[in-house]
Amino acid sequence: MEEFGSGIQQAVLAGGSASGRLAEDVRWGLSQPRKQLHSQYLYDSLGSRLFEAICALPEYRVTQAEQKLLDRYSNLIVSDLEGPVTLVELGPGSGEKLAQLIEPLLRNNIGVNVELVDISEAALDLATRTLTRFPSVPVFCHEAVYLDGLQRSIKRRHDAGSLLVAFLGSSLGNFAPSSAHTFLSNIQTVLRAGDRFLLGLDLVKPEQELTLAYDDPLGVTAAFNRNILVRLNRELAADFDLEWFGHRVIWNFASSSIEMYLESLCEQKVSIPGADCQIRFKEGEYIWTESSYKYTTSQIVSAGMESGFATRGQWVDEEVKFAVTAFEVL
Ligand SMILES: C[S@@+](CC[C@H](N)C(=O)[O-])C[C@H]1O[C@@H](n2cnc3c(N)ncnc32)[C@H](O)[C@@H]1O
C-alpha cells in the first residue's frame, strides 16, 4: 500500500500490477485468426492522457452529454442516499463526473468516502488530484481490473450508510453484449440489497456521427489507438513501425457497435521479445483493438433488470443520444 497524499491511498493487487498479464495476452491475441489486443491495454500513462484529450473533442460528445445530465440530475440521483455514502467508481478517468456526484452530498452535510478502481495508474492519479478539491473526502485507489477492484472496495465499505457504484463514460459499451450481461450480474452479486449502480451509456445514433466521433479530423483517436503499439514497443521491446499501421473505424450495423482496428499497411513481420513471439502481418490485415456497443434506452433497462437490478430512473440527452440510468439491487 502506498501513500499518495492526504487521505489518498493506493492498493496494488497482490500478484503484481493489473497489467502483469500484458505479455501473455498479447501473445494470445496476436496469434488468433482475428488478431486482437485487449482494449484495456489502450490505457497506459499516455493512453489515459490521450483519452482525456478525446473527451475534449467536439466530435466525441459522450463526455459533454454525460456531464450535462449529471449537472442537471446528480442532486436527484443521490437525494435519498443515507450517510455515510461510499462512492465506488469503476474506471474513473479524470474523476470529474464523480466530483459532480460528491458535490450535492457534501452540500447536504452527508459524509462521503471514495473508492477508485482503474487499471491505469495515470487515471487514478488524475482522478485523485481532481478529488483533492474535497479535503474532507477520503479517497482510496485500487489499481485493478473492474471486478477485482470492486470486490476490494466493498470489503472496505461502512456497515451503515449507502453504497453507490458508478460506471460512466459508456465503458460498459466496450463489452460484447453477452459479456456485458455477465459483468452486470457479477456486479449485482457482490452488492447488497439497496445498493445503487449508476450506468452511463452511449445510444445508437446516425453512422456518420459515430464514425466521426472515433475518427476525428485532428487524429487524436488515431493516436490513442496507435499508442497501444508504442506501449508494446516500450514494455515488450517489440519493433512495430508506426508508419505501417493505420487507424480504421467501422460501424457494424448488425451488432450496433463501432469497431476500432489497426490495419497493417504492408506485408511485415514484427518481433515481440517480451512476449516471446514473432508475428507476420499480411497487407490489409487488421488488429481489433476496441468495440463500442451502442444501446437503446430500453435495452439498458432490460439489461439491468435481467441482472437483478430495479430501475430507479433514466435521464436521456435526446440531442446527443446518451443515457444515464440509476439502478438499485433488489
Ligand atoms: C472509456 S474510459 C471512461 C473514463 C471515465 N469513466 C469517463 O467517463 O470519462 C475507461 C476507463 O476505465 C479504465 N479501464 C479500462 N479497462 C479497464 C479494466 N478492464 N479494468 C479497470 N479499469 C479499466 C481506463 O483506464 C479508463 O480510465
Side-chain angles (χ1 to χ4, degrees):
M1 193 184 297
E2 182 191 340
E3 279 278 326
F4 260 61
S6 70
I8 296 167
Q9 295 179 304
Q10 177 157 36
V12 176
L13 285 184
S17 77
S19 58
R21 289 183 9 209
L22 176 70
E24 206 178 299
D25 289 349
V26 166
R27 188 171 48 247
W28 180 84
L30 294 182
S31 59
Q32 296 309 297
R34 185 195 195 196
K35 290 186 171 62
Q36 53 194 277
L37 292 169
H38 197 294
S39 64
Q40 71 187 26
Y41 295 120
L42 292 164
Y43 296 92
D44 65 351
S45 172
L46 180 57
S48 291
R49 286 172 176 85
L50 287 167
F51 178 74
E52 289 312 314
I54 290 171
C55 292
L57 291 171
E59 295 83 8
Y60 187 79
R61 299 169 80 196
V62 163
T63 309
Q64 329 154 15
E66 194 168 39
Q67 287 188 324
K68 207 164 82 185
L69 289 172
L70 290 175
D71 260 349
R72 278 196 203 144
Y73 301 111
S74 60
N75 247 323
L76 190 62
I77 290 167
V78 302
S79 61
D80 58 350
L81 293 180
E82 281 174 21
V85 175
T86 300
L87 288 179
V88 182
E89 185 165 10
L90 306 179
S94 71
E96 284 297 340
K97 295 170 191 169
L98 197 59
Q100 290 177 277
L101 294 169
I102 294 172
E103 273 157 12
L105 289 166
L106 295 186
R107 260 199 314 274
N108 291 316
N109 293 317
I110 293 175
V112 179
N113 61 289
V114 165
E115 304 281 324
L116 300 175
V117 176
D118 205 295
I119 200 168
S120 160
E121 190 183 349
L124 289 170
D125 200 24
L126 184 61
T128 50
R129 275 171 217 265
T130 302
L131 300 180
T132 52
R133 77 174 74 134
F134 307 113
S136 67
V137 175
V139 177
F140 197 92
C141 294
H142 305 267
E143 188 182 333
V145 291
Y146 298 128
L147 272 177
D148 287 351
L150 177 61
Q151 277 163 333
R152 278 153 203 266
S153 301
I154 278 171
K155 286 195 185 131
R156 294 170 37 80
R157 72 185 291 170
H158 292 289
D159 278 338
S162 326
L163 182 129
L164 182 148
V165 178
F167 196 34
L168 305 173
S170 212
S171 298
L172 186 72
N174 295 141
F175 291 68
S178 62
S179 312
H181 188 272
T182 308
F183 184 71
L184 291 179
S185 301
N186 288 339
I187 290 182
Q188 194 271 357
T189 306
V190 296
L191 299 181
R192 286 187 200 152
D195 287 348
R196 306 294 172 81
F197 180 59
L198 189 66
L199 182 62
L201 269 178
D202 204 14
L203 303 177
V204 177
K205 61 197 81 184
E207 176 176 351
Q208 205 190 349
E209 276 176 47
L210 283 165
T211 47
L212 198 58
Y214 290 82
D215 195 5
D216 60 277
L218 206 52
V220 183
T221 314
F224 173 69
N225 194 13
R226 292 162 90 223
N227 177 56
I228 201 167
L229 303 182
V230 177
R231 177 176 189 172
L232 302 192
N233 285 351
R234 186 184 60 246
E235 294 187 27
L236 300 176
D239 60 0
F240 284 98
D241 184 338
L242 293 200
E243 295 223 345
W244 293 110
F245 285 90
H247 171 65
R248 300 287 173 262
V249 167
I250 294 172
W251 168 241
N252 185 332
F253 178 77
S255 63
S256 263
S257 67
I258 278 282
E259 297 170 347
M260 212 163 73
Y261 297 93
L262 290 163
E263 180 186 358
S264 174
L265 301 178
C266 62
E267 190 171 327
Q268 53 185 317
K269 187 169 82 182
V270 175
S271 296
I272 316 178
D276 200 17
C277 59
Q278 288 197 330
I279 308 292
R280 286 182 185 280
F281 291 92
K282 295 189 198 103
E283 185 178 344
E285 191 172 0
Y286 280 14
I287 310 173
W288 173 42
T289 51
E290 188 183 79
S291 286
S292 293
Y293 288 81
K294 305 300 171 186
Y295 283 74
T296 62
T297 48
S298 56
Q299 281 172 335
I300 299 171
V301 170
S302 307
M305 283 170 58
E306 285 160 18
S307 309
F309 290 101
T311 310
R312 292 186 59 92
Q314 185 173 63
W315 302 273
V316 180
D317 183 323
E318 294 290 357
E319 194 215 327
V320 175
K321 306 223 174 301
F322 188 91
V324 170
T325 311
F327 293 106
E328 177 172 349
V329 178
L330 288 171

